[in-house]
Amino acid sequence: MDFRLSDEQEALRSSVREFAREVVAPTIAEHYEQHTFPYEIVRQMGKMGLFGLPFAEERGGMGGDYFALCLALEELARVDSSVAITLEAAVSLGAMPIYRFGTEEQKAQWLPRLLSGEALAGFGLTEPGTGSDAGGTRTRAVLDGDEWVINGSKAFITNSGTDITALVTVTAVTGTRPDGGKELSTIIVPSGTPGFTVAPGYSKVGWTASDTHELTFDDCRVPAANLLGERGRGFAQFLSILDEGRIAIAALAVGLAQGCVDESIKYAKERQAFGQPIGNYQAIQFKIADMEMKAHTARLAYYDAAARMLAGEPFKRQAAIAKLHASTVAVDNAREATQIHGGYGFMNEYPVARFWRDSKILEIGEGTSEVQRMIIARDLGM
Ligand SMILES: Cc1cc2nc3c(=O)[nH]c(=O)nc-3n(C[C@H](O)[C@H](O)[C@H](O)COP(=O)(O)OP(=O)(O)OC[C@H]3O[C@@H](n4cnc5c(N)ncnc54)[C@H](O)[C@@H]3O)c2cc1C
């Protein structure tokens, strides 16, 4: 068993770390204040090849693997989570379904721009009336000649309304299965298609510099050829995409948890109280030691899940454990880091204030903590 990174992985990690510190850190707070999307940062991440990390070179990717993506997400989230979730959603939820399930034509049409970061794709699963119970999808798509006609709405869809969003993959009911259940399929809807409306961005507690919208489809017509993969495979497709995505979200959560350690050490060495730096007090040292322990164990959990996935072994339970543990740890560390910063921790100019607001969604998005527990319990035969 060897948890050390290869030279190549270390090189990737340090180049993303440098980018996060030198490019993201100085400018991201302004985007949070102004609620703007960081186009320039995204453009530079594209030039670095981050959007192509886990994809084959012949498709325009970097020829890396999913673990490489996780390492990059961890380093970005150590500084900022809006930028990290933008990359996570673009790669793991946006491009990956097309890469995995698309036809040759769909891959040729969309992947070059998605893998270079010139364009983004959204993943439209959640609806206003149903999230955890994704089988409760109500959006419908009916074949009319050689076109799908889509009606319904989607909620909270990341990267769906930026100036560079090219498409959204939409899960829709396309019929009834032989057992009477809903037949779910996935359909590609290009941005700007008549009948496809993107609502103004939500006012969010955190991830403020990321892009999230409600979408409506009103007799929205797309070619029949926009079906992604086989008809009726929508349920299986999103389950497999979300299983992998949980490892990526765990990596992002570890980054936030580690960023809380970084900022707390820095602040505890500077801030004086009762005649000495607060870092001299054991109460503060123990908080930081616990935060480091939590970030470290959560990292091991996602390394394990990623290793199993890349080895082609079952990894559903380990991915759920990693996501559950890492998101809990991120929230814990954000709370403690804010506490260590005292009143300044409540001020937006300090990164820990952002970390605190950005942490909670990690226990909700891509499967809530309750859903992760359901997955783990089911896998244990309960
Ligand atoms: C900023 C943001 C970005 C997002 N991006 C995307 C995206 O790009 N694409 C996308 O499709 N979705 C996206 N989502 C949606 C996200 O995945 C859902 O919000 C999440 O899965 C939870 O669904 P819900 O909000 O409908 O909550 P619900 O499913 O209504 O859950 C409400 C509560 O009930 C609990 N609960 C539900 N069922 C059970 C049960 N059986 N047992 C016990 N407890 C239960 C849940 O755990 C939760 O605590 C995003 C959400 C946010 C906030």
Side-chain angles (χ1 to χ4, degrees):
M1 202 177 291
D2 188 352
F3 288 104
R4 281 170 305 180
L5 301 183
S6 68
D7 290 347
E8 208 181 335
Q9 289 163 336
E10 280 294 0
L12 170 70
R13 193 159 73 157
S14 48
S15 70
V16 179
R17 182 175 301 176
E18 193 183 320
F19 173 77
R21 286 184 184 166
E22 289 179 11
V23 178
V24 179
T27 53
I28 198 64
E30 179 75 9
H31 288 291
Y32 273 67
E33 284 293 323
Q34 306 295 328
H35 292 222
T36 48
F37 187 75
Y39 286 103
E40 177 54 24
I41 292 174
V42 167
R43 192 187 66 76
Q44 292 192 43
M45 293 199 302
K47 285 191 93 172
M48 288 172 75
L50 300 188
F51 290 90
L53 273 177
F55 303 107
E57 285 173 24
E58 56 268 29
R59 290 285 176 204
M62 298 295 285
D65 57 25
Y66 208 82
F67 185 60
L69 170 68
C70 291
L71 290 176
L73 290 171
E74 184 187 331
E75 287 308 322
L76 287 173
R78 203 165 163 172
V79 168
D80 177 61
S81 289
S82 281
V83 169
I85 191 59
T86 298
L87 177 67
E88 193 275 343
V91 175
S92 164
L93 302 179
M96 194 60 86
I98 296 177
Y99 184 76
R100 285 268 151 76
F101 314 121
T103 60
E104 206 40 58
E105 291 73 25
Q106 289 165 346
K107 289 178 187 175
Q109 181 177 3
W110 301 112
L111 289 181
R113 286 170 63 217
L114 297 179
L115 272 47
S116 67
E118 277 168 63
L120 299 173
F123 176 78
L125 175 62
T126 306
E127 301 194 351
T130 191
S132 306
D133 178 17
T137 297
R138 292 216 190 114
T139 297
R140 300 196 75 85
V142 177
L143 254 191
D144 180 25
D146 58 0
E147 287 181 328
W148 290 105
V149 185
I150 308 171
N151 280 287
S153 52
K154 296 287 171 182
F156 312 132
I157 308 306
T158 305
N159 289 340
S160 60
T162 71
D163 296 349
I164 55 170
T165 300
L167 67 105
V168 175
T169 53
V170 176
T171 309
V173 181
T174 48
T176 308
R177 291 194 317 240
D179 66 1
K182 287 175 180 173
E183 177 195 85
L184 293 180
S185 306
T186 310
I187 298 171
I188 297 172
V189 181
S191 300
T193 305
F196 170 24
T197 310
V198 180
Y202 292 96
S203 168
K204 292 174 294 193
V205 170
W207 284 0
T208 317
S210 76
D211 180 77
T212 325
H213 300 266
E214 182 166 337
L215 312 176
T216 49
F217 302 91
D218 187 10
D219 282 336
C220 172
R221 287 175 174 270
V222 296
N226 282 23
L227 180 71
L228 186 64
E230 274 174 60
R231 181 171 176 165
R233 294 287 298 160
F235 201 80
Q237 287 172 349
F238 73 68
L239 285 184
S240 78
I241 290 295
L242 292 178
D243 276 343
E244 291 176 4
R246 285 181 186 123
I247 307 177
I249 293 289
L252 197 157
V254 168
L256 188 148
Q258 195 67 54
C260 290
V261 178
D262 299 340
E263 294 299 325
S264 296
I265 292 173
K266 203 167 27 166
Y267 190 78
K269 286 183 175 169
E270 287 165 6
R271 180 68 176 176
Q272 301 268 333
F274 301 97
Q276 50 186 313
I278 59 170
N280 285 0
Y281 299 118
Q282 203 176 45
I284 300 288
Q285 292 173 5
F286 279 14
K287 273 191 202 297
I288 293 175
D290 283 351
M291 288 160 65
E292 174 66 12
M293 169 195 65
K294 289 178 179 183
H296 179 71
T297 54
R299 181 177 299 108
L300 294 180
Y302 98 68
Y303 277 24
D304 173 51
R308 287 169 194 267
M309 174 191 150
L310 293 176
E313 295 169 11
F315 66 95
K316 200 184 227 333
R317 187 197 316 172
Q318 288 74 19
I321 289 171
K323 202 267 181 182
L324 175 60
H325 182 50
S327 57
T328 308
V329 157
V331 173
D332 287 351
N333 281 12
R335 188 182 58 246
E336 293 296 28
T338 305
Q339 191 67 19
I340 289 169
H341 280 67
Y344 292 102
F346 206 61
M347 298 298 122
N348 281 329
E349 68 185 277
Y350 280 81
V352 292
R354 259 190 293 122
F355 293 167
W356 191 46
R357 291 194 283 133
D358 287 342
S359 64
K360 184 58 200 168
I361 180 61
L362 297 166
E363 294 184 322
I364 297 170
E366 294 202 32
T368 63
S369 293
E370 291 75 18
V371 166
Q372 305 312 318
R373 290 186 169 93
M374 282 158 57
I375 293 169
I376 297 164
R378 244 180 242 151
D379 200 59
L380 292 170
M382 298 169 81

